[in-house]
Amino acid sequence: MKQLHMLLFVGSLLFLVACNNKEADKTPLIPLPNSIHYHSDAFVLTNKTQIVIEQADLLPGIEAFNERIARHCKNKLKITDNALAKSNITINFNGQLPDEGYKLEVGSAGVIVEASGAKGVYYALQTFLQMCPELLVDGEKSQFSYAVKGASIEDSPQFAWRGMMLDVSRHFFTKEEVMELIDYLAFHKINVFHWHLVDDQGWRIEIKKYPKLTEVGAWRVDREHLPWNARPAMQAGEEATYGGYYTQEDIKEVVAYAQKRFITVVPEIEMPGHTTSSLAAYPEYSCTGGPFNVVPGGLWPITDIYCAGKDETFGFIEDILTEVMELFPSKYIHIGGDEANKAEWEKCAKCQARIKSEKLADEHALQSYFIKRVEKFLMANDRVLIGWDEILEGGLAPNATVMSWRGFHGGIEAAQSGHDVVMTPTSHCYLDYYQGPMDTEPVAFNGYIPLEKVYQFNPVPAELSAESAKHILGGQGNLWTEHVPTKEHMQYMTFPRMAAMAEALWTNAETRNWSDFTTRIGQMTQSYDVMGLNYAKSMYTVQFESVFNAKNKTIALELNTEIPDADIYYTLDGTQPDLSSNHYSGAIDINSSVEVVAASFINGKQAGKDARVNFSLHLATAKPLRYEKQPSDKYPGLTDITLVNSLRGSRNFNDGNWQGFEGDDVDVVIDLNKVEDLTKVTVGCLHQTGSWIFLPQQVKVQTSLDGELFTEAGATINNIPLQSEDQVMDFTVDISGTTARYVKVTVVNQGMLPSWHGAAGSKAWLFVDEIIVE
């Protein structure tokens, strides 16, 4: 099968070469080098090519590249120090270049790499590998010959920390699957692998002094057939069968594998919260003494926490970190520090005694004490503590590095205080969020970060001075895996968004260009196909937007994809589109209720999934609206007539077809422009409790002939339990026999979040997509 992929791949490359010069000059390199100039003097790489290298300290930079050669054919390229060899790959030392920088010259006389160290050599050869993608195919051939386009490249990254985090607690991935991911990251010059090894749902690292951490903490009751947030806790008599862990030998193997690819593996050992898996094994380090069971899913809130009042707790943590540091040479040790529910500390006599003896202000200050005490231990071992931005609460540990995830604010505060920062805000960096229309995507966390949003990421906020900006080490993408149970799904969520992240962190802002990137990522996916990478094609999925013509008082439908060069074909009868269907060339006038199905095509082949929308015209379509209370500025909808645009919302509350109201009722008056005989009013609402979005208490309808005097027409009560699963729900009010011109609809907000919710007492959100009047 890979040989077939290769034939198709080479054919597509020949097609690209045959294009005009402008197209041929576009490179599929990602991240884009900061300086690249092409010329017609091509280099021919063969199995006889030698690698000429004089300085032994540069040798580590060629190891992974030569291993890739050996996977492509049977043997590695010969390494020699014979500087007289011709038409080969020559590695030269250049002390003027930055640590990760390189120069790469490709021409008929040979390939010349210049670097100040092995890292630069490695990145130069990764660039060369992308220039010769034929090498990505595993094979058994003993001979090969490939022409590589001539180029002069000078390159170095803009940020030192270019990372990705993988959560292996919520779902476990094997050592081999992790190493495969590391290969894909290295291909795009990612240099930090943040390994989230510990959380409430599983402990994944062998600690020899505490064997129950993996004997007990690595396993949970199997609820994989249930949605993540609908999994009941383990019951007495049930056996914990889902899980896994890495032995210390596994860890060493992964670390060595990553080091060969110049990727630093940063381990994360969560504390003081997100610790149920360790407390299930050793409950004596909790405030209550247990018992605990490893959490099978998204039960919330979780109040399990290490007891900060016991000195034994810190001895336990220090023992664990000692073994962790023996396995991971990383300068940084991540201790989590996020979402630590302090309810147990408030009730714990020993924690309260600690607050009193240390003269701490409150439980937030106790967390600061906890973090500072752990940091002191790490510093004594020449390591740097890094944690999520909650470690700022109560006062930041003196030398800690902050990983800012709740937006940019925490990172700004830390940088202005002189602390190093890794930016990873949910707005741009959370790979567990949806990347395409939710109705066409596998289940993900309820957020929306498409490819372009990742590409727009800039880790340095404008608020920072030049001096404070020096503390921004870089950024990373985070993949939390609550909804990601398999390797294939993990790859799907990661790529191509990590390719966009790689370019955002490597390539200078003035060099980057979204339009150019879309061309290159389209070409790069051919390499992904050859490598067997299960990448998402969400960038090709058609999205719908209704357009109101104020002059004609009509609605039209616009179709688009993230990748601008795709051809879109559509049908209006719900059938599957193909090349014989309607070709999209502009907004589609909608004159009746239809089901639109659309798909994008590249070079005559369907590129994205089918997308469909029900476009239902009704009496209120495009009619004037008057709001008693305006929707939130955060979720205003795409247009002023979002509630009557005949376009229904998806499960993604960010799709532009929903209007959000924080704590407020929806209270609107619709002018039908003439008196109509009415039968019913339907209101579409969203329920996503994890995002604080709740179905309404009730829907009430009033009607009027003059817009001044309104009478009650009907109402419906919500009988759906507030703790029900996420859903889109229509509420219909029967108003049969009513004659009116004006319809007033009131959708009653729940007001405050219920007591069982993790954010109880906060304002509830109410989301409405359409008010249908019939």
Side-chain angles (χ1 to χ4, degrees):
M1 180 60 71
K2 284 197 174 182
Q3 282 74 14
L4 175 60
H5 280 316
M6 190 60 205
L7 290 173
L8 295 172
F9 183 60
V10 172
S12 64
L13 290 178
L14 291 173
F15 171 79
L16 290 173
V17 171
C19 293
N20 59 49
N21 290 335
K22 182 179 180 181
E23 288 297 316
D25 284 346
K26 290 183 177 179
T27 170
L29 302 182
I30 298 175
L32 182 68
N34 284 298
S35 174
I36 180 168
H37 301 284
Y38 287 99
H39 50 75
S40 59
D41 191 14
F43 171 72
V44 178
L45 176 72
T46 75
N47 55 292
K48 300 295 185 182
T49 299
Q50 299 181 66
I51 300 176
V52 181
I53 184 168
E54 293 183 334
Q55 291 198 203
D57 57 352
L58 299 180
L59 274 170
I62 69 172
E63 289 183 17
F65 174 77
N66 221 1
E67 286 177 3
R68 165 38 57 193
I69 297 287
R71 286 176 61 180
H72 176 64
C73 60
K74 292 182 178 180
N75 302 301
K76 297 180 180 180
L77 298 181
K78 181 181 179 181
I79 300 173
T80 177
D81 59 0
N82 179 10
L84 297 178
K86 300 293 185 183
S87 223
N88 292 308
I89 300 174
T90 303
I91 313 296
N92 292 329
F93 173 77
N94 182 341
Q96 301 302 309
L97 295 174
D99 183 43
E100 295 183 297
Y102 65 90
K103 289 184 178 181
L104 176 64
E105 184 70 34
V106 180
S108 60
V111 175
I112 300 174
V113 172
E114 295 182 32
S116 62
K119 288 181 184 178
V121 173
Y122 177 78
Y123 292 130
L125 293 177
Q126 287 301 107
T127 299
F128 182 78
L129 180 61
Q130 290 190 11
M131 295 173 71
C132 188
E134 295 91 340
L135 296 174
L136 298 173
V137 180
D138 292 345
E140 294 295 329
K141 61 175 68 177
S142 58
Q143 298 182 2
F144 61 84
S145 178
Y146 306 124
V148 183
K149 188 174 181 64
S152 299
I153 299 173
E154 185 166 356
D155 200 15
S156 63
Q158 61 169 333
F159 291 106
W161 188 297
R162 307 179 302 281
M164 179 190 163
M165 185 221 74
L166 177 65
D167 165 21
V168 296
S169 173
R170 276 51 178 262
H171 282 98
F172 179 70
F173 299 92
T174 67
K175 171 188 68 177
E176 291 77 16
E177 290 170 342
V178 170
M179 291 193 293
E180 186 178 13
L181 174 63
I182 286 172
D183 267 334
Y184 294 135
L185 297 176
F187 186 64
H188 292 303
K189 303 184 176 72
I190 296 298
N191 69 343
V192 176
F193 177 60
H194 173 179
W195 209 356
H196 187 83
L197 292 160
V198 173
D199 218 300
D200 297 303
Q201 290 83 7
W203 182 283
R204 304 298 182 207
I205 176 173
E206 178 189 26
I207 302 297
K208 292 186 180 298
K209 188 169 183 178
Y210 299 102
K212 287 193 293 184
L213 286 172
T214 47
E215 291 171 3
V216 176
W219 306 95
R220 64 179 186 244
V221 64
D222 191 340
R223 304 265 194 261
E224 293 302 300
H225 61 290
L226 295 174
W228 182 259
N229 291 321
R231 298 180 177 184
M234 184 176 180
Q235 302 300 310
E238 286 191 294
E239 184 179 358
T241 58
Y242 177 87
Y245 65 92
Y246 308 101
T247 67
Q248 294 201 356
E249 290 306 309
D250 289 337
I251 298 285
K252 291 175 184 177
E253 189 175 346
V254 171
V255 168
Y257 192 85
Q259 283 179 323
K260 188 176 287 188
R261 288 149 183 81
F262 294 90
I263 290 178
T264 298
V265 182
V266 176
E268 182 178 356
I269 309 297
E270 277 272 16
M271 61 186 78
H274 286 290
T275 52
T276 307
S277 60
S278 58
L279 294 177
Y282 295 95
E284 60 266 35
Y285 301 113
S286 71
C287 293
T288 65
F292 304 92
N293 292 313
V294 180
V295 181
L299 302 176
W300 200 257
I302 297 173
T303 61
D304 306 334
I305 194 168
Y306 285 138
C307 181
K310 298 176 182 177
D311 287 335
E312 298 89 342
T313 300
F314 293 97
F316 175 67
I317 291 169
E318 289 174 6
D319 288 343
I320 291 171
L321 291 177
T322 296
E323 293 195 34
V324 168
M325 289 185 290
E326 290 171 354
L327 295 170
F328 294 91
S330 165
K331 170 184 173 181
Y332 297 93
I333 303 294
H334 204 300
I335 55 81
D338 61 309
E339 298 178 329
N341 189 307
K342 301 172 180 63
E344 298 300 335
W345 284 359
E346 293 171 359
K347 297 181 291 185
C348 175
K350 291 186 177 182
C351 288
Q352 292 303 310
R354 179 80 74 187
I355 290 174
K356 184 176 180 180
S357 66
E358 296 292 334
K359 298 180 174 57
L360 305 174
D362 53 22
E363 287 75 24
H364 292 290
L366 181 59
Q367 174 162 330
S368 178
Y369 164 85
F370 190 109
I371 301 299
K372 288 176 180 177
R373 185 161 172 173
V374 173
E375 186 201 35
K376 184 177 180 181
F377 173 75
L378 290 174
M379 287 178 61
N381 288 276
D382 297 320
R383 303 299 180 97
V384 174
L385 179 147
I386 185 170
W388 303 107
D389 56 56
E390 284 95 331
I391 67 174
L392 288 161
E393 297 172 3
L396 188 57
N399 297 288
T401 296
V402 171
M403 190 166 276
S404 187
W405 72 279
R406 296 179 299 176
F408 290 88
H409 177 74
I412 292 171
E413 179 184 341
Q416 290 175 337
S417 300
H419 290 268
D420 287 343
V421 173
V422 176
M423 286 292 191
T424 180
T426 57
S427 57
H428 294 77
C429 302
Y430 269 47
L431 305 179
D432 55 322
Y433 287 14
Y434 284 94
Q435 56 193 308
M438 290 175 78
D439 295 337
T440 66
E441 291 288 307
V443 174
F445 190 82
N446 290 324
Y448 181 53
I449 302 182
L451 186 65
E452 184 174 10
K453 185 72 172 181
V454 178
Y455 193 78
Q456 292 169 349
F457 177 49
N458 179 3
V460 182
E463 296 93 322
L464 292 181
S465 66
E467 188 62 30
S468 294
K470 294 177 182 178
H471 288 288
I472 305 299
L473 302 179
Q476 70 178 32
N478 294 334
L479 181 57
W480 303 100
T481 60
E482 288 92 336
H483 306 292
V484 184
T486 66
K487 178 191 79 170
E488 291 74 21
H489 197 167
M490 177 257 285
Q491 293 177 356
Y492 182 94
M493 300 303 289
T494 303
F495 289 96
R497 287 187 292 184
M498 271 307 298
M501 177 66 67
E503 185 149 311
L505 296 172
W506 178 284
T507 309
N508 295 332
E510 58 271 19
T511 305
R512 291 193 287 123
N513 178 277
W514 166 249
S515 178
D516 179 61
F517 177 80
T518 61
T519 299
R520 285 181 286 113
I521 196 63
Q523 297 172 16
M524 182 61 73
T525 58
Q526 299 169 34
S527 294
Y528 294 166
D529 288 335
V530 172
M531 291 189 288
L533 176 59
N534 185 48
Y535 61 95
K537 299 179 181 178
S538 313
M539 56 191 173
Y540 294 116
T541 302
V542 176
Q543 303 199 44
F544 305 97
E545 181 178 345
S546 63
V547 181
F548 176 56
N549 186 319
K551 181 179 179 180
N552 299 328
K553 307 296 183 183
T554 58
I555 291 283
L557 192 63
E558 289 188 345
L559 314 182
N560 62 77
T561 61
E562 249 196 306
I563 300 298
D565 294 333
D567 285 320
I568 298 174
Y569 290 86
Y570 67 93
T571 64
L572 298 175
D573 58 3
T575 59
Q576 165 78 30
D578 56 29
L579 295 176
S580 65
S581 304
N582 302 300
H583 181 252
Y584 179 74
S585 59
I588 308 166
D589 290 326
I590 303 294
N591 301 311
S592 61
S593 295
V594 294
E595 182 182 14
V596 184
V597 185
S600 63
F601 291 77
I602 301 290
N603 296 329
K605 294 184 178 181
Q606 185 167 336
K609 299 177 182 177
D610 290 349
R612 62 183 62 230
V613 65
N614 287 309
F615 202 93
S616 302
L617 294 184
H618 52 87
L619 294 176
T621 298
K623 298 303 191 296
L625 286 160
R626 184 179 79 244
Y627 289 82
E628 295 294 328
K629 296 177 182 178
Q630 292 294 321
S632 166
D633 290 341
K634 295 179 181 178
Y635 305 103
L638 288 175
T639 67
D640 293 337
I641 62 163
T642 292
L643 294 186
V644 289
N645 67 357
S646 291
L647 196 59
R648 304 304 303 273
S650 69
R651 290 179 293 117
N652 176 12
F653 60 84
N654 279 304
D655 69 3
N657 292 317
W658 294 96
Q659 288 188 333
F661 299 78
E662 186 180 17
D664 291 329
D665 299 340
V666 178
D667 205 344
V668 299
V669 176
I670 305 169
D671 181 358
L672 302 178
N673 289 335
K674 64 178 181 177
V675 175
E676 299 276 8
D677 293 327
L678 307 178
T679 59
K680 60 183 177 180
V681 174
T682 300
V683 179
C685 299
L686 185 64
H687 190 67
Q688 290 182 1
T689 60
S691 301
W692 303 14
I693 302 170
F694 283 79
L695 295 174
Q697 295 184 43
Q698 63 175 316
V699 177
K700 298 184 293 186
V701 176
Q702 298 171 281
T703 59
S704 172
L705 292 170
D706 59 7
E708 298 294 332
L709 179 63
F710 284 86
T711 59
E712 301 291 338
T716 185
I717 302 295
N718 173 25
N719 294 315
I720 305 298
L722 293 184
Q723 286 185 273
S724 62
E725 64 183 21
D726 293 355
Q727 59 188 294
V728 176
M729 180 78 180
D730 282 349
F731 292 88
T732 298
V733 180
D734 185 350
I735 58 171
S736 299
T738 301
T739 299
R741 171 174 171 174
Y742 298 91
V743 178
K744 182 176 183 180
V745 179
T746 303
V747 189
V748 182
N749 196 308
Q750 291 290 344
M752 307 298 284
L753 298 182
S755 59
W756 53 262
H757 196 277
S762 299
K763 293 180 180 179
W765 282 89
L766 174 62
F767 274 71
V768 175
D769 68 338
E770 188 78 6
I771 298 176
I772 301 170
V773 179
E774 298 175 271

